[in-house]
Each structure stands twice: as C-alpha cells, then as structure tokens.
Amino acid sequence: MTSAPATFSATRPTLWTPLTFAVFRAIWIAGLVSNVGTWMQNVAGVWLVTTLTTSALVVALMQTATSLPAFLLSLPSGVMADLIDRRRLLLFTQAFMVVMAGILGILTLLGEISALGILGFTFLLGMGAALNAPIWQTVVTELVPRPALPFAITLNGVSNNIARAIGPAVGGLVIAYYSPGYVFVLNGISFLGTWAVVYAWQRDPTRATGPAENFIGALQAGMRYVQYSPALYGVLVRTFAFSFGVSAMWALVSVVIARKLQLSSGHYGTMLSWLGAGAVAGAFLMGRTGSRLNFNQRVLLGSLAFVGTNLALALFTSVYWLYPVMFGSGVAWLMVMTSFSTTVQLNVPKWVQARVISIYMLVFQAGLSVGSLVWGELADRTTLTLSLVGAAGWMLLSVLLAIPFPMRSAENLNLDPAGHWPEPKVHSAIDPDDGPVVVMIAYRVAAPDWPAFRQATEQLTRLRLRDGALRAGVFADVAHPERITEFFYVATWGEHQRQHQRFTKEDQTIEARVKQFHTGSEPPHVTHLLAFPRTTNVEVATPLQNLEAQP
C-alpha cells in the first residue's frame, strides 16, 4: 500500500473522500478495531481491579495510570515523531502494546495477576498510547491530500466515538460470560491487526535536509515555533479555555446520575451512548453542511452548545430530557474538536508537525485535568448545581476569546519548503556545532516608505524567531538612515542551515513584501558572521566571505 498522491481529481471533497485512499481506509478500519479493543480494556481493567481489592484509592488510580503517561510522554513522543521515521515508530508502539496486553491477558487467565499488577500494565499500555497518539494524528497528513484533511480528521473522531459507544458493551459481555483475561487478549490482537496494516504501508522515504537535530534542540524548536506563530498560539489558548469548561460535563455527569437523579450505572452508560451517537451523527452533519461554517463559527456554536449542556445537567430533573441534550453535546464535541485539530494541522509545516500536535494534545489534556479538579472541588465545597452553573458561565465567557484569538482559514496556505536560499559561500568547512552565527541583510529604503517597511519587517522578524533565531531586529545607520540592516542571531551554523529548509513558500510572500521597499541598484547585501574561533590556525580563523544572496 502506497501513500496518497499530492492531488486528486475531486473538485469538492466530502466526508467519504478520505476513504477512497486505500492506505487511509485500511489504517482507519484497523484504528477503529483497535479503539474498540482499548475501550473494552478500560472496562475490563477497572472491573477486575474492583474485584481484586477493597481499596477505592487503587480503583481511582486506574484513571491516573491511564492518563499520567500522556502528561509525561506527549512532548517527547512529538519530538521523536519528527526526528525518526514515523512508520517505524508506529510499528514499535503497536508491537509494544501487543506484548503488554498479551502478557496481561495470559497472567489474568492463569490467575496470577494482582490489582497492583493491573495498574502497572495499564500504565505501560498508557505509555504506548502516549507515544502513539501524536504519530497517529500526524500520519493522516501523509495519507490524504490537503483539501480532504478536515474530513480525515473528522473520520478519526468518528472512529473513537463509535468505539466509545460499543467497546464498553462488548467488553461487558465478554466479562460476564467468560473472563476479563479474554478482553485483554482480544485487545492485544486488535493492536496486532494495526501493526500488520502499518507494516504493509509503503511510506515514501523522507529525505534528510541539513544537519540532524538533537532531541533537546528539536524540543526547543517546536516550542519556539508555537510561541512565534499567532495562529497556533490563539488555537492553544482557546483549546485550554474550552477543555477547562467542558471538563465539568465529563467529571460530573456520573455524579448527576448517581446523586442528583439517584439512578443506576446503566443510565450512566446510556448517557455516554447518547453522547457517542451524537458525535457520529455530527460527522455526517458536517459532511453535508460543514462547508457553510468556517472553523471559527463551529467553535463558537459548539461552545454555546456546552453552555446549554452544563445548565441542563444543573437544572433538569429528568434523565429523559438529558438524553437529547447529550446527543447534541456529542455533535458539538466532534464539531469543536475537529475544528481545533484541523486548524493546528493546516497551520504547521511537516518539519515540526508532530511536535506542535503533541503540544496541542498536552494543552487539551491539561485543561481537562485542571478543570475536573476545579469543578469537582467546587461541587464538594458548595453544591453540584453551583459548580455546573459556574462551568456554564466559564464557557459563555470563553466565547469572547474569539475576538482577540480568531481562527482564520488555513486551507490555502502553501507550507512546502521554499528552497530558494542558496548555500552561503564559505572559505573553509564549518562544523555544524560552530557558532553563534549572525546574519545581516542591508537594505536602502526611502524615508516615505519607512512606516510600511517597518511593519513588513516586524512580520519577517517573527518568522526568523519562529524558525530558529534567538534574537532578531532591524537597525538604521545613524549617519545614513536610509541604510537599514536586518539582523538575526542563531546559536549554531547547523541551526542556520536548518533555517534554510524551514522557510516556506507562504513565508516568501512576507519576504517579498520587505524586499519591494529596497531601492538600491543591487539586491540587498547579505553578510554571514561566525563567532571568531579561539585558535591560532590561520586557515580556520579566516573570516567568512560576504555573500550577496538570501541568508
């Protein structure tokens, strides 16, 4: 199976378009089966721990064992996914989870497992899932063309919600008639199926360009990219605000069922089924009418829907009124989450994609975790109703974030490497670790153009910082103010070489906007300066030759 072509004939993609690509279709089906296995595993694990111990703390730690690996490994896994072949990483993570689930299943069937042992294996499986998640989201961009990407991400959300709806029920039946051990074995088999599909995928080889990044440098580059990308920064702010507010529903819906309505766990499962069904329906709804709403409008509508969800949980006294509310919440959940995820992926070039996705996932999980703690504590100290009303108020206020942090369309961005900077001419070979490096670009700008030039260079400065510069700025010659020099400071020569590959075709438009103000007869003069070596070797100490080209 080979990857998707860069273009396709469909003039207007639909929800079904990604499934026309064989690799995506195979991986999506395998992912659906694996997701069902994971939800079966969650039910079986909690149930088995409950039967093996009388400690409520140990039972509660099952959720910690599942979620803690995501906090510990989200960023490192994103870095590895950008530095190492993603197909090989997927094969490793799937094989690791096959082994862990298989061993847990065998020990359970032999009666040789304890509650603490289940906690340990759950943590190990959580590590595999945490390493797998950023890679899994990233490979979608390689399997479908860019215009179909929003629908591919929506289908992934559908997969998880279908699994959420049927996985616990199937797991419960297996537990009731056989043993939790069989659930664990079936989960391992589901990972094995995914491993086989990924193994059959003939991924296009990635060509290395420039010096290789080390782990710490790659992590810093990813965080710096987000810091100096307003579109991404805004999405992360709104993601945290949304997940913080929506966490009240996830954290307190079981409390509403058990304490307020005094109903059984069966009603709780039914509530979650309505939520999952709404998410699946939401995918089809967006497939038909989604093009009429941009991502910003979808997030606004979804946030307002959860204002209603929290108020309904606080005020309604009949579970039959809450079922359609949860169905609508499922529609809103999928609409908002796919909007956030798609916006992030459409705004990120391939070289830093997995790192940014891992940061996005970490921010989302942080909002859920902190929000659950806050709303749960507020419910304990005051009342359940007040906590849910407070969460509704938070969601309503979060809508105002659309003013300072609007989500703009990114479908037409061209984030392919520009590749238009020639390699600097140097007197002798330079070690990639040598540095720091200062790059200076000299312009001649007429006085009437200074305000517009300054505005254009502010955008270019942000790009320099985003792509690896530690400092950047613009200075004018005090004796001849029309002589203006842009500079940026990079830690090493290797990092500057990587800057050459990180500059995209979309960035070229900003660079061209700056260059149009240059009035000299020659192109802007570029100088590369390397920190003066501490050596007596004359050949090495010779200054680098100036270069009249792009940096």
Side-chain angles (χ1 to χ4, degrees):
M1 294 186 296
T2 57
S3 299
T7 59
F8 66 110
S9 58
T11 57
R12 188 174 183 179
T14 68
L15 181 63
W16 307 111
T17 300
L19 295 175
T20 63
F21 298 98
V23 182
F24 177 84
R25 183 172 61 249
I27 288 183
W28 186 84
I29 294 172
L32 173 61
V33 174
S34 181
N35 286 336
V36 172
T38 298
W39 281 101
M40 292 170 59
Q41 167 98 24
N42 291 342
V43 171
V46 172
W47 180 260
L48 187 56
V49 168
T50 304
T51 61
L52 292 176
T53 182
T54 58
S55 171
L57 175 61
V58 174
V59 176
L61 285 175
M62 283 292 289
Q63 181 60 40
T64 303
T66 302
S67 58
L68 182 60
F71 285 97
L72 299 178
L73 298 178
S74 181
L75 286 178
S77 63
V79 173
M80 288 190 293
D82 280 330
L83 298 184
I84 304 173
D85 182 83
R86 293 168 183 170
R87 176 176 172 273
R88 293 183 179 180
L89 281 175
L90 281 177
L91 290 174
F92 170 78
T93 57
Q94 297 298 316
F96 176 79
M97 290 188 286
V98 167
V99 173
M100 292 301 103
I103 294 175
L104 175 58
I106 293 171
L107 291 177
T108 302
L109 292 173
L110 294 176
E112 299 294 331
I113 195 69
S114 65
L116 293 180
I118 297 172
L119 276 176
F121 277 102
T122 300
F123 182 81
L124 291 173
L125 284 167
M127 290 179 60
L131 290 171
N132 185 77
I135 311 168
W136 194 262
Q137 289 204 34
T138 304
V139 297
V140 174
T141 61
E142 302 183 31
L143 304 179
V144 298
R146 187 178 176 88
L149 182 59
F151 294 104
I153 294 173
T154 299
L155 285 171
N156 282 342
V158 170
S159 169
N160 190 51
N161 281 283
I162 291 175
R164 189 201 306 275
I166 68 176
V170 175
L173 288 174
V174 176
I175 294 170
Y177 288 96
Y178 299 100
S179 161
Y182 288 110
V183 174
F184 302 146
V185 171
L186 288 173
N187 188 37
I189 294 174
S190 74
F191 291 130
L192 185 61
T194 305
W195 185 93
V197 171
V198 173
Y199 182 80
W201 171 31
Q202 299 177 14
R203 181 174 185 255
D204 295 333
T206 302
R207 297 179 181 178
T209 54
E213 295 181 89
N214 59 52
F215 184 87
I216 299 299
L219 178 60
Q220 292 173 338
M223 299 178 71
R224 185 171 54 240
Y225 193 94
V226 171
Q227 180 183 359
Y228 292 105
S229 298
L232 293 174
Y233 186 81
V235 172
L236 294 182
V237 170
R238 295 182 66 179
T239 296
F240 181 85
F242 174 81
S243 61
F244 183 88
V246 82
S247 65
M249 180 196 72
W250 293 107
L252 299 177
V253 65
S254 61
V255 182
V256 170
I257 294 295
R259 296 182 186 176
K260 180 182 176 182
L261 303 181
Q262 297 183 348
L263 298 173
S264 67
S265 60
H267 289 88
Y268 173 62
T270 304
M271 289 275 280
L272 295 183
S273 296
W274 276 89
L275 184 72
V280 174
F284 292 101
L285 179 65
M286 285 194 295
R288 291 180 175 273
T289 63
S291 59
R292 302 175 186 175
L293 300 173
N294 58 41
F295 294 138
N296 198 55
Q297 292 169 333
R298 295 181 192 181
V299 172
L300 288 174
L301 288 176
S303 298
L304 290 174
F306 277 105
V307 173
T309 299
N310 288 331
L311 288 177
L313 290 172
L315 302 177
F316 286 5
T317 57
S318 171
V319 70
Y320 298 106
W321 286 105
L322 289 176
Y323 288 157
V325 170
M326 296 304 288
F327 184 88
S329 300
V331 175
W333 174 262
L334 188 77
M335 184 165 59
V336 173
M337 295 310 301
T338 55
S339 297
F340 282 147
S341 181
T342 305
T343 300
V344 169
Q345 296 201 40
L346 290 178
N347 274 284
V348 182
K350 289 184 178 180
W351 71 268
V352 74
Q353 195 172 53
R355 278 166 277 186
V356 173
I357 290 175
S358 69
I359 293 172
Y360 159 73
M361 295 174 67
L362 184 62
V363 169
F364 176 75
Q365 290 293 336
L368 283 181
S369 300
V370 176
S372 298
L373 177 64
V374 169
W375 305 123
E377 183 70 11
L378 183 60
D380 282 343
R381 291 183 177 273
T382 58
T383 65
L384 177 62
T385 299
L386 183 60
S387 179
L388 288 166
V389 171
W394 172 275
M395 293 299 297
L396 188 60
L397 289 174
S398 71
V399 172
L400 299 177
L401 290 173
I403 298 174
F405 301 110
M407 294 170 58
R408 296 183 175 88
S409 175
E411 288 91 338
N412 297 322
L413 296 181
N414 188 344
L415 301 181
D416 293 333
H420 71 300
W421 288 355
E423 287 298 317
K425 296 178 182 178
V426 299
H427 179 271
S428 58
I430 304 174
D431 190 289
D433 292 329
D434 285 349
V437 178
V438 176
V439 181
M440 306 177 71
I441 308 101
Y443 302 88
R444 299 186 69 91
V445 182
D449 292 331
W450 288 349
F453 178 80
R454 180 176 181 177
Q455 184 177 9
T457 54
E458 285 177 354
Q459 292 181 286
L460 189 58
T461 296
R462 176 174 52 79
L463 296 184
R464 307 295 194 203
L465 295 169
R466 185 201 66 186
D467 289 348
L470 300 179
R471 295 181 182 178
V474 180
F475 292 84
D477 188 331
V478 295
H480 304 280
E482 73 280 0
R483 297 177 184 174
I484 300 178
T485 300
E486 178 205 357
F487 89 97
F488 55 95
Y489 172 98
V490 189
T492 65
W493 184 253
E495 184 69 1
H496 177 55
Q497 288 180 294
R498 286 187 284 270
Q499 280 185 304
H500 282 232
Q501 307 303 322
R502 294 170 179 172
F503 204 76
T504 68
K505 292 182 179 178
E506 196 67 32
D507 300 334
Q508 277 186 282
T509 60
I510 297 176
E511 183 185 58
R513 198 175 304 138
V514 172
K515 292 175 65 175
Q516 72 178 356
F517 295 104
H518 177 66
T519 59
S521 58
E522 299 292 331
H525 185 82
V526 180
T527 305
H528 292 74
L529 302 175
L530 183 67
F532 196 73
R534 297 178 180 178
T535 176
T536 57
N537 188 315
V538 176
E539 180 181 357
V540 176
T542 302
L544 299 180
Q545 177 179 334
N546 291 346
L547 172 66
E548 293 184 358
Q550 288 304 312

